[in-house]
Amino acid sequence: MLRWTVELEGGPKRVNHAAVAISDRIYSFGGYCTGENYETTTPMDVHLLDTVSLRWRLILLEEPANLTSIPYQRYGHTAVAYNENAYIWGGRNDKDGACNILYGFNSNTHAWFRPDVCGSIPNARDGHSACVINHKMYVFGGYEEETDRFSNEIYALDFSTFSWSLIVPSNGDPARWRDFHTATGIGHLMYIFGGRSDHGGNIYTNNEIYCNKLQIFDTLNRTWIEPETTGVLPIGRRSHSAFVYRGYLYIFGGYNGKFDYHFRDVLRFDPVHLHWSMVKVKGKGPCARRRQCCCVIGTKVFLFGGTSPSVKPAIPNQNNDSDLTDHSDLHVLDFAPTLKTLCQIAVVDNKIKTDCLPHVLQWEIAAMTTNNTISSARPSNTNG
C-alpha cells in the first residue's frame, strides 16, 4: 500500500538544491531561498537529515587552510553518492556564474575535498543531470555558461581514475538539447525524461518545448533508444523528481511553462513492459511544486524543499519568482508502511483519544500530526 505517511515543517528552506542518501542519512547541498543574497561566494551549506528521528541539522564545517577545496554556494548543480562520498558538480550563483569543478564530500568526516581530474572536462553549466552507472558518473545536458547554449552531450567521469571523457554515441538519435530534466540509471541504461527544450535547438529563443518522450542511452554500446511506450503518458515538465524503487522508475511533480502549471502527480514507468501508469497514493502528500529533492532509503522516499505558486494574487501575464513560495517541509512516501504506522495514522485521522496508551506511543502519534515542527539548526527564511 503506497502512502504518504509523514508531513513535517521546519527543515531547511531550499530550492534547486541537490541531495544524496548515504546509509540512513540524507545530505542536502546548496540551493537557494528567495530573498537570500547570491552575489557572494560563501561556502556551500550542507544539511543532514537523520531519517530515523526525522531531524535536520546544519553541518558546521571547520574552515580548511585551502578554501578552494570547498564549493561556493550555488543552485542547479548535481550530487551523486559513491563509496560513502558525495560528489558535487556544476551549478551556478549570481556572482561567479556556472562552475565545472568536481568537489567531494566525505560523509564520515564531513570534510570537503577536491579530486584531481583529467581528460575532457565538460564546460561549466547548470540544469544538467547526473547519475552513477557501473562506477562512472554520467552527466547529460544542461545550459552551458561559456557557449550560452543548451547541451545534449554526454560526459562520463570514471571514479577509478577520475578521468572525464566525452561519450560519442555510435547509433540512434540523441535526446534533444535541454536543461532541468532527469537522468536515472537502471542497470546499464540511463533514462532521460522531461526538461526544458527550445524550438531554437541548442539556442534559447524563449519558445520552449516540454517533451514527454522517454529516451534511453545504453552505456554499454553507446546507443540512443526512443522506445514506443504505452499507458498514461506524463505531461511534459521540467524541475521534477525521478527515483527508482524495485526496478521501476517514478516521476513526481515538476512544472510546465507553456501551461504555467505545477504538478503533484506520481507516475510509474515499467522498463520491462515499457508502460506508464498513474499511481494512486493514499494520504495527503505534498502540494504541487518544482525544484524539490527526493531520496530513497529502504521502502521510503524522502521529499523536501522546492517551490510552488504563491497564494497571493499574481500579476497578470507576468510569471516570475516573486509569485512563488519556497518550502521547508518534509514528506515521506512509504511503499510498505507497517501495521503500526497505519494504526498511528488511523488514530490521527480519526482523532481517537490516546490517553490510555503508553507515553512513547503518544509521542510517536503526536509526531505524525500534520504540520508538526521538526528541529533544524538553520532558522527558516521568512523573506521567501
Side-chain angles (χ1 to χ4, degrees):
M1 178 194 298
L2 186 59
R3 185 179 183 107
W4 294 105
T5 58
V6 174
E7 178 188 356
L8 297 174
E9 286 284 353
K13 185 178 288 188
R14 280 287 170 262
V15 178
N16 226 347
H17 44 309
V20 298
I22 300 177
S23 185
D24 60 353
R25 296 161 295 173
I26 291 174
Y27 295 86
S28 178
F29 300 94
Y32 70 85
C33 178
T34 303
E36 291 185 351
N37 180 18
Y38 291 93
E39 293 289 343
T40 66
T41 51
T42 56
M44 176 182 288
D45 57 7
V46 182
H47 290 86
L48 185 153
L49 174 67
D50 183 326
T51 59
V52 177
S53 66
L54 297 181
R55 293 184 179 273
W56 285 101
R57 68 181 177 92
L58 175 65
I59 297 178
L60 301 177
L61 305 174
E62 292 186 7
E63 187 172 299
N66 185 6
L67 287 176
T68 61
S69 63
I70 299 181
Y72 58 74
Q73 184 73 344
R74 66 192 64 194
Y75 51 89
H77 51 293
T78 53
V80 302
Y82 184 79
N83 283 353
E84 300 296 310
N85 294 327
Y87 290 92
I88 310 298
W89 193 81
R92 61 174 293 116
N93 72 9
D94 298 336
K95 181 177 185 293
D96 282 5
C99 177
N100 69 342
I101 299 172
L102 179 70
Y103 295 92
F105 181 83
N106 188 308
S107 66
N108 295 314
T109 64
H110 291 173
W112 285 104
F113 60 97
R114 182 172 164 179
D116 292 326
V117 300
C118 59
S120 301
I121 301 174
N123 288 336
R125 68 192 66 197
D126 72 312
H128 55 287
S129 60
C131 63
V132 176
I133 299 175
N134 294 333
H135 310 290
K136 293 181 180 180
M137 179 177 73
Y138 286 85
V139 170
F140 172 76
Y143 198 81
E144 296 186 7
E145 175 87 1
E146 183 177 345
T147 57
D148 197 25
R149 70 178 185 96
F150 290 109
S151 171
N152 71 340
E153 296 171 333
I154 301 173
Y155 286 85
L157 175 75
D158 190 328
F159 281 117
S160 64
T161 61
F162 283 97
S163 175
W164 284 101
S165 59
L166 173 65
I167 305 298
V168 179
S170 61
N171 200 5
D173 295 326
R176 192 175 180 86
W177 308 270
R178 67 187 68 194
D179 65 358
F180 295 108
H181 52 286
T182 53
T184 311
I186 303 178
H188 63 275
L189 302 177
M190 179 171 65
Y191 292 79
I192 304 294
F193 177 76
R196 174 181 59 180
S197 303
D198 196 281
H199 283 283
N202 63 348
I203 305 299
Y204 184 67
T205 65
N206 202 28
N207 192 359
E208 298 176 348
I209 299 173
Y210 290 86
C211 180
N212 67 346
K213 294 180 180 179
L214 184 74
Q215 290 172 274
I216 305 170
F217 184 74
D218 187 325
T219 62
L220 294 183
N221 57 32
R222 299 189 174 188
T223 299
W224 278 106
I225 305 165
E226 187 175 314
E228 293 186 8
T229 62
T230 59
V232 182
L233 298 180
I235 299 174
R237 63 195 69 192
R238 65 177 170 93
S239 304
H240 53 285
S241 295
F243 55 90
V244 176
Y245 181 76
R246 291 191 174 179
Y248 293 101
L249 171 65
Y250 290 84
I251 300 292
F252 170 83
Y255 173 74
N256 185 300
K258 301 292 286 188
F259 303 124
D260 189 21
Y261 187 81
H262 288 76
F263 299 90
R264 66 184 298 267
D265 50 359
V266 178
L267 298 117
R268 185 179 79 169
F269 179 73
D270 182 341
V272 175
H273 300 96
L274 303 178
H275 184 80
W276 283 103
S277 58
M278 183 77 71
V279 181
K280 294 182 178 180
V281 187
K282 292 183 177 296
K284 180 183 176 182
C287 64
R289 66 186 64 196
R290 57 173 152 157
R291 297 174 178 171
Q292 66 284 335
C293 280
C294 286
C295 293
V296 179
I297 295 180
T299 65
K300 299 176 181 179
V301 182
F302 296 83
L303 183 154
F304 51 96
T307 191
S308 298
S310 176
V311 294
K312 66 181 180 181
I315 301 174
N317 302 319
Q318 182 175 337
N319 180 28
N320 55 56
D321 287 347
S322 65
D323 300 329
L324 299 172
T325 297
D326 301 338
H327 297 294
S328 59
D329 53 356
L330 169 70
H331 297 264
V332 177
L333 178 64
D334 199 334
F335 281 89
T338 63
L339 180 59
K340 178 181 177 182
T341 297
L342 294 175
C343 289
Q344 291 172 334
I345 292 173
V347 169
V348 173
D349 289 347
N350 295 284
K351 300 180 180 179
I352 299 173
K353 293 184 178 180
T354 61
D355 299 347
C356 60
L357 297 177
H359 290 299
V360 174
L361 288 179
Q362 291 184 37
W363 182 88
E364 290 181 353
I365 291 172
M368 300 180 70
T369 304
T370 300
N371 292 330
N372 191 25
T373 301
I374 57 177
S375 174
S376 174
R378 179 189 178 93
S380 297
N381 189 315
T382 58
N383 296 322

